[in-house]
Amino acid sequence: MGESLTESRTETALPAPGGQRHAEHRRTAGTPEGRGAVGPQRDGRPAPAEEHEARVLLERARAEVDPVLRAALGSLPGPMRRIAHYHFGWEQADGTVVEGGSGAAEGGSGKAIRPALVLAAAAARGGSEARAGAARAAAAVELVHHFTLLHDDVTDRETTRRHRPTAWTVFGDADAILAGDALQALALRLLTQDPQPAAPAAAVRLADCVVELCAGQHAVTALERCAPTEVTLDEVLAMAEAKTGALIGSACAIGGLYAGASETEVTALDAFGREAGLAFQLIDDVAGIWGDPCRTGKPGGADVAARKKSLPVAAAFASGHPAAAELAELYARPGETEDLERIALAVERAGGRDWAQGQAADRMARAMQQLARAVPDPEAAGGLLALAECVTRRTG
């Protein structure tokens, strides 16, 4: 459900889909000619100031949300708490506290992009006061994200996450699933107990999002039972939006709700997050085939080894290129690890890699258009923009 619904695989060296230098976005995002503008960045990477801004926002979000998360997880029964703490990177399997395991470090509980988006959206529409009141909502979104990760690792049989064995490989399928269920319950409890006026609407939106996430994961399992040639690119795109875009969109929308944004603005914030989330999934799928294992925390070519019908693969099959026939033959031979390089080359020759990177740029352009509708003031939108571009370059 989450980033595959997998969780991000870390930084990639792909061409940047996000657009112009951050300062230029700030000047033009609110103008017709600037909305959605996309341009190259230095070495395909964000400008240092922009990258620094995103890092500051993520660290601040982690500092604000972690105490809420720890209090929530502390209320779990002992066995569930142990699994959750392990999954979040705070403890070893035997309960030993991980040194520096505050969740802020790389390889801990992730970079907190989704809660940072909640807080940034609240600040963009309502300033610092709205941001301060949205910490519980941000924590709720992060709990739902981790619920999806625990479940996804079981259904996808993922054995590694953030350079550590996944929870199900340590505690078993049933316990990992139950721990994920507990996290979802904690998320809704946080919102139902939140005195903020927007909390009931946020709870409904988050519950609707969970249903969409489950539908997206169901689509994944259904598509995986089909032959590659029976799966359309549109089906894979719809599945990716439900799996990844839905929660990122909900994070932005919930931040808007807590700031008192109008229904039109909340809808635009949701659309902004969905488009940025789909751009992220495209980049993440590219990393799943061509990413550096030292950066992704997963074995090289993990997605093609599992014969996943990721977006670059679906695009390659739909291309009509002669390499697509070779790809179909190779995909029909599961477990042949010696075929991984040939598969990656066939996907690239059939245009899957170029399509995914180009589509990521297009989705980010659409995201910028929606952001300009939701937050016309480029300065106020700066935090959301920095995080969106961070989403498409970094995982977590």
Side-chain angles (χ1 to χ4, degrees):
M1 281 179 274
E3 265 86 286
S4 295
L5 215 93
T6 31
E7 186 178 30
S8 36
R9 307 182 193 256
T10 81
E11 191 172 340
T12 70
L14 303 174
Q20 300 165 334
R21 295 285 296 273
H22 187 54
E24 189 171 343
H25 270 304
R26 286 177 178 260
R27 290 196 302 270
T28 62
T31 65
E33 64 273 20
R35 292 175 184 172
V38 190
Q41 290 176 306
R42 200 168 47 208
D43 300 324
R45 297 173 62 85
E50 179 179 17
E51 191 172 25
H52 174 72
E53 179 174 0
R55 188 182 304 114
V56 168
L57 289 169
L58 293 170
E59 290 174 354
R60 182 180 174 191
R62 178 59 70 199
E64 294 174 32
V65 169
D66 257 13
V68 184
L69 290 174
R70 286 187 176 275
L73 267 57
S75 71
L76 291 174
M80 293 297 96
R81 183 169 64 249
R82 179 184 173 193
I83 298 167
H85 280 192
Y86 173 84
H87 170 76
F88 270 75
W90 297 343
E91 292 181 0
Q92 304 289 5
D94 63 1
T96 305
V97 175
V98 174
E99 185 177 353
S102 66
E106 197 78 30
S109 57
K111 298 184 183 68
I113 284 175
R114 288 154 197 81
L117 285 168
V118 175
L119 298 173
R125 292 304 317 166
S128 58
E129 184 176 350
R131 177 190 173 96
R136 291 173 68 90
V141 168
E142 184 75 337
L143 285 168
V144 165
H145 173 52
H146 283 275
F147 142 71
T148 66
L149 297 182
L150 280 161
H151 281 209
D152 280 357
D153 285 344
V154 174
T155 58
D156 297 341
R157 311 316 285 174
E158 294 281 5
T159 58
T160 305
R161 180 170 296 284
R162 305 185 205 98
H163 308 279
R164 296 208 309 167
T166 46
W168 73 267
T169 67
V170 176
F171 301 100
D173 290 6
D175 283 355
I177 290 170
L178 290 170
D181 293 342
L183 296 188
Q184 182 193 171
L186 288 179
L188 293 178
R189 189 172 74 185
L190 279 177
L191 291 176
T192 56
Q193 292 179 345
D194 193 345
Q196 292 289 335
V204 171
R205 181 172 285 271
L206 194 58
D208 288 343
C209 178
V210 169
V211 173
E212 187 174 358
L213 292 170
C214 291
Q217 186 61 29
H218 180 269
V220 172
T221 57
L223 291 176
E224 292 304 327
R225 290 194 292 265
C226 299
T229 53
E230 297 173 350
V231 176
T232 70
L233 182 55
D234 284 344
E235 287 176 322
V236 181
L237 278 167
M239 173 269 293
E241 180 178 348
K243 281 186 22 154
T244 305
L247 187 55
I248 293 178
S250 291
C252 298
I254 287 171
L257 284 172
Y258 269 66
S262 69
E263 182 178 349
T264 299
E265 292 162 345
V266 170
T267 299
L269 284 167
D270 182 85
F272 158 74
R274 284 175 180 269
E275 295 291 358
L278 192 48
F280 161 78
Q281 189 61 61
L282 286 152
I283 294 301
D284 195 60
D285 281 358
V286 170
I289 301 175
W290 296 281
D292 179 355
C294 294
R295 293 180 179 275
T296 66
K298 297 177 182 288
D303 284 1
V304 293
R307 301 301 191 264
K308 289 185 179 180
K309 298 175 183 72
S310 62
L311 286 162
V313 170
F317 279 124
S319 68
H321 191 279
E326 178 188 1
L327 180 62
E329 179 184 344
L330 292 168
Y331 249 59
R333 297 180 351 203
E336 299 293 332
T337 55
E338 62 269 21
D339 288 339
L340 297 186
E341 289 188 10
R342 292 181 62 195
I343 291 173
L345 180 59
V347 174
E348 190 158 11
R349 285 172 51 218
R353 185 173 187 170
D354 286 344
W355 175 87
Q357 292 178 239
Q359 184 72 196
D362 181 62
R363 293 292 175 168
M364 276 302 293
R366 298 185 197 184
M368 294 306 102
Q369 291 174 334
Q370 295 295 339
L371 180 58
R373 294 188 182 102
V375 189
D377 179 5
E379 287 296 327
L384 282 170
L385 174 61
L387 290 170
E389 295 199 336
C390 173
V391 161
T392 60
R393 292 174 180 78
R394 306 179 74 86
T395 62

